[in-house]
Amino acid sequence: MRTIDLRGRTLSPADMLAAVPRATQARAEALDTAARIVDDVRERGEEALREQAERFDRVSGHEIRVPAQHIAEALEVLAPDVRLALEEAIRRVRIASAAQVPERQITRIGDGATITQRWQPVHRAGVYIPGGKAVYPSSVIMNVVPAQVAGVQQIALASPPQQDQGGRVHPTILAAAGLLGVTEVYAIGGAGAIGSFAHGVEGIGLDPVDVLSGPGNNYVASAKRAVAGVVGTDSEAGATEILVVADAAADPRLIAADLVSQAEHDEQASAVLVTDSPQLAERVAAEVKRQAGATRHATRVAAALDGPQSAIVLVDDRAMATAFSNAYAPEHLELHLEDAEAAADSFTSAGAVFVGDHTPVSLGDYMAGSNHVLPTGGQARYAPGLGAYTFLRPQQVISYDRAALADVRAGVVALAETEVLPAHGEAIEARFTA
């Protein structure tokens, strides 16, 4: 991991953003490629999907629409301990997601005048579950459960066809879908899946969705940008990010373990440590080197840690560490600080905040009850992670009776005349003239 030394510098907000380690070139290239893939699916449908499957997944002749039998078979062979873990994760995420559904609110503006605020679920959602370098049944839970809690009536799921499964979706993904009652499943990977959800694919019976969600690599994240305006999306949950803010009292072994744990996702993963302790930085660097070399996916981890998106950042003090973190706006933020609980309120831009030594990102990936589909690439400065609210549309329902309308009659007419929109005022007056 490279070292970025910001000590002794006075940085403006723009300077701080410029200092953030990002793999910007990779993201730019991904956007161009993803847009072409999405357009190809829109124009050629199933034919494009089959060509993409052969090119990217090395499978052909597979069933793109997954038969119900495949889901049933996957449930039958699901290991009992994995089933128990999935069921417990479902229970926890369902509890946390339920807290994200607001109750209907009725506001009385005056006698006979009310505005009802309601949160209406979309009718149809598409969820994408990655399946390249790893298998993510946990992502099935993180996407499907919030949609179900929100009240979505139709949920379609897509995940890449697996070469070693004869072109089928990975059985653990199918089993997780089966546990949640999802029956509309497609063997489609990457940006092609995002394009399919957005535009529909008539040849395989895939109708367009209203909202699509799910994590993935930078190509999946870029494909969401390519379909923005055609369909609603969650934030761009691209290649994973972890930012650890630590002080001199932190345990370098635990910090290194958490950096390595996220780096094993993908060569594009970002792992960053921010500290005001040069001694801790040295100890973490040594621990990262030791642990990274011993882990199963050592080559992948090394690529991620050696990339421009990963670094150890030295700062002068806590204030500078906080400013850097809020500028970076990481997907996952871990606070390894003596006063982590009290300090958490100062860290305002992050997809999710993990407080203290015993709250690693790995917990959030699986069993915390929080959602692990989170914004990357700095989007946590303005965008939330996935939740039930992703699939809800706030709507205002306005109801005025004649007397209530009469109370504001003159005001509406006056404003309409001021804006040179006289028909607006005439529409009001029509209610009071024979």
Side-chain angles (χ1 to χ4, degrees):
M1 295 176 70
R2 65 189 175 118
T3 298
I4 299 174
D5 194 343
L6 301 181
R7 292 174 298 175
R9 297 171 58 184
T10 301
L11 300 176
S12 68
D15 292 333
M16 194 69 79
L17 283 171
V20 167
R22 302 271 192 218
T24 53
Q25 182 61 33
R27 289 180 63 85
E29 292 172 356
L31 180 59
D32 182 61
T33 300
R36 290 199 302 271
I37 291 171
V38 167
D39 285 344
D40 194 25
V41 172
R42 177 177 55 82
E43 293 170 2
R44 298 195 300 126
E46 182 180 355
E47 183 182 1
L49 292 177
R50 292 201 176 277
E51 289 179 7
Q52 290 165 17
E54 190 166 359
R55 175 184 174 191
F56 299 119
D57 304 306
R58 298 179 299 282
V59 301
S60 60
H62 61 299
E63 295 180 273
I64 296 180
R65 175 71 182 257
V66 175
Q69 180 185 351
H70 290 189
I71 299 174
E73 291 171 356
L75 274 170
E76 288 177 4
V77 301
L78 183 64
D81 59 336
V82 176
R83 180 169 186 145
L84 285 173
L86 290 173
E87 289 173 341
E88 177 61 14
I90 289 168
R91 186 187 72 83
R92 289 170 176 258
V93 174
R94 201 174 293 282
I95 291 171
S97 298
Q100 299 166 345
V101 180
E103 294 184 2
R104 179 178 296 222
Q105 300 287 336
I106 299 176
T107 304
R108 301 194 181 281
I109 305 298
D111 290 342
T114 64
I115 298 176
T116 299
Q117 183 72 57
R118 70 181 185 187
W119 285 261
Q120 197 80 354
V122 299
H123 177 66
R124 180 168 168 79
V127 301
Y128 179 69
I129 311 302
K133 297 180 174 67
V135 182
Y136 297 103
S138 57
S139 289
V140 178
I141 296 168
M142 300 295 175
N143 282 270
V144 171
V145 170
Q148 291 177 334
V149 169
V152 177
Q153 295 299 304
Q154 294 183 7
I155 300 174
L157 184 151
S159 190
Q162 303 294 307
Q163 185 183 31
D164 60 0
Q165 299 292 331
R168 293 190 181 192
V169 170
H170 194 282
T172 312
I173 300 296
L174 293 180
L179 288 175
L180 289 162
V182 176
T183 58
E184 186 182 350
V185 181
Y186 300 91
I188 310 173
I194 303 304
S196 299
F197 281 144
H199 299 292
V201 182
E202 186 175 356
I204 58 173
L206 173 51
D207 294 326
V209 303
D210 302 310
V211 168
L212 62 84
S213 69
N217 58 21
N218 285 339
Y219 294 97
V220 171
S222 296
K224 290 181 184 178
R225 188 172 297 187
V227 300
V230 176
V231 65
T233 71
D234 61 344
S235 55
E236 294 176 17
T240 192
E241 302 167 347
I242 179 173
L243 175 70
V244 178
V245 178
D247 55 24
D251 186 334
R253 182 178 59 88
L254 298 182
I255 293 172
D258 293 350
L259 293 173
V260 170
S261 75
Q262 293 306 297
E264 78 170 338
H265 273 285
D266 191 276
E267 290 85 352
Q268 298 173 339
S270 301
V272 180
L273 166 66
V274 179
T275 184
D276 59 0
S277 170
Q279 294 77 21
L280 177 73
E282 291 179 6
R283 292 197 293 271
V284 169
E287 271 293 322
V288 165
K289 185 176 181 179
R290 182 185 68 81
Q291 294 185 30
T295 193
R296 181 190 300 181
H297 301 299
T299 301
R300 186 189 308 164
V301 169
L305 296 177
D306 291 341
Q309 72 274 17
S310 298
I312 294 174
V313 181
L314 293 172
V315 295
D316 288 320
D317 50 29
R318 173 72 63 79
M320 195 175 194
T322 305
F324 181 90
S325 177
N326 288 335
Y328 186 103
E331 177 188 21
H332 307 103
L333 170 63
E334 284 191 3
L335 301 180
H336 289 246
L337 305 168
E338 286 190 288
D339 60 340
E341 291 283 351
D345 286 347
S346 300
F347 292 86
T348 56
S349 295
V353 183
F354 299 81
V355 181
D357 289 351
H358 292 89
T359 318
V361 169
S362 296
L363 173 66
D365 282 342
Y366 298 114
M367 299 293 284
S370 57
N371 204 294
H372 77 201
V373 183
L374 301 166
T376 60
Q379 290 191 82
R381 291 166 57 207
Y382 52 83
L386 184 67
Y389 41 75
T390 304
F391 305 97
L392 294 170
R393 297 158 293 159
Q395 295 175 338
Q396 296 180 88
V397 181
I398 303 96
S399 177
Y400 272 56
D401 62 19
R402 181 180 175 85
L405 181 60
D407 287 342
V408 295
R409 174 183 177 183
V412 173
V413 171
L415 290 174
E417 290 293 337
T418 296
E419 295 189 352
V420 197
L421 297 170
H424 283 59
E426 291 163 5
I428 299 295
E429 293 294 340
R431 269 87 179 157
F432 299 96
T433 57

